[in-house]
Amino acid sequence: MKSTLTFLIAFFAMTTVVLADDDLATLKSGKPVVKDISTSSKSETQLTFLVKAKPEKIWDVLVDYEKYPEFMPIEKVQIRSKAKDTEVVFIQPEAPPLIDISYEIRRHYDKDDWKITFEKVSGKIKSINGSWKLESYDSHYTKVVYITNVDIGIPVPGFVKDYFSKGSLYRMAEAVKKRVESRGKWKKK
């Protein structure tokens, strides 16, 4: 019951920031936009980028978690359990040597709304939750919105946190975009 309540709070707390005209110009130029979403009760980061593909092509890449190490900044993935619209997934992100920030998340799939939500089940970090949302942008592009809230559980200076979190978001946007637009052939080096 507690995990269901936590999920529902996280699910309904996810908000999409409306982008300003200069942000839309950045998106149209092919670059991602990263925004901090802070309120009195939460602090999240939103990544928005455009992919030249229909939502279903992007969806197929996002739900194929076992292939993430081929193109995302992730070293290892293991599917722990699967149900119709839910998976529990172990993730070991790329990290400096001797640093373990592995965790398990529960992912919920809503293909009718092109939305994936996730929350931490267990792991080395204190908390992580967020969502992926796909929105048709025009006849050729889909807007991808990724919102996340990560707390690693130890105090970290803001500039260090920004360097790692925002840097990884830009790499993730590039990875998803290249993977989808190459029809699943692009792999990281």
Side-chain angles (χ1 to χ4, degrees):
M1 179 68 173
K2 184 178 176 187
S3 67
T4 302
L5 181 59
T6 302
F7 167 71
L8 290 173
I9 291 168
F11 180 82
F12 290 111
M14 299 293 149
T15 55
T16 302
V17 169
V18 176
L19 299 175
D21 289 342
D22 58 333
D23 294 329
L24 294 173
T26 300
L27 285 178
K28 289 177 183 176
S29 75
K31 296 177 184 168
V33 173
V34 176
K35 296 275 187 184
D36 288 319
I37 308 167
S38 295
T39 66
S40 60
S41 62
K42 64 180 176 173
S43 176
E44 300 172 337
T45 304
Q46 176 178 300
L47 165 69
T48 306
F49 58 102
L50 296 177
V51 178
K52 191 173 185 176
K54 298 288 183 191
E56 47 275 346
K57 297 297 181 188
I58 302 164
W59 182 267
D60 290 345
V61 167
L62 293 178
V63 299
D64 192 1
Y65 228 117
E66 292 172 312
K67 296 219 174 131
Y68 273 33
E70 292 180 5
F71 67 99
M72 293 284 255
I74 292 175
E75 289 182 23
K76 182 179 178 183
V77 168
Q78 275 185 314
I79 306 298
R80 300 279 201 217
S81 66
K82 276 186 179 186
K84 182 180 180 222
D85 296 323
T86 306
E87 285 182 322
V88 174
V89 182
F90 168 82
I91 301 165
Q92 183 177 347
E94 292 176 350
L98 305 176
I99 295 179
D100 182 6
I101 53 173
S102 60
Y103 53 90
E104 276 187 353
I105 59 171
R106 179 174 294 107
R107 290 173 42 117
H108 304 270
Y109 303 108
D110 181 355
K111 192 170 183 179
D112 293 335
D113 197 28
W114 298 118
K115 188 168 187 171
I116 301 167
T117 56
F118 59 90
E119 77 275 351
K120 177 188 164 202
V121 173
S122 65
K124 304 288 184 178
I125 61 175
K126 184 175 179 181
S127 69
I128 181 169
N129 60 60
S131 65
W132 289 92
K133 176 76 171 126
L134 308 177
E135 303 170 5
S136 292
Y137 185 75
D138 63 22
S139 61
H140 301 291
Y141 288 88
T142 298
K143 182 170 70 168
V144 179
V145 180
Y146 175 78
I147 299 174
T148 189
N149 176 4
V150 179
D151 180 352
I152 61 171
I154 58 171
V156 177
F159 72 92
V160 173
K161 182 180 174 185
D162 286 349
Y163 175 80
F164 285 105
S165 65
K166 289 183 179 175
S168 69
L169 291 176
Y170 286 111
R171 288 190 307 276
M172 185 170 57
E174 179 183 25
V176 170
K177 184 174 177 148
K178 286 181 176 181
R179 183 70 170 202
V180 172
E181 292 177 354
S182 71
R183 295 183 175 92
K185 295 178 182 167
W186 183 82
K187 295 181 181 183
K188 65 185 179 186
K189 295 176 183 178

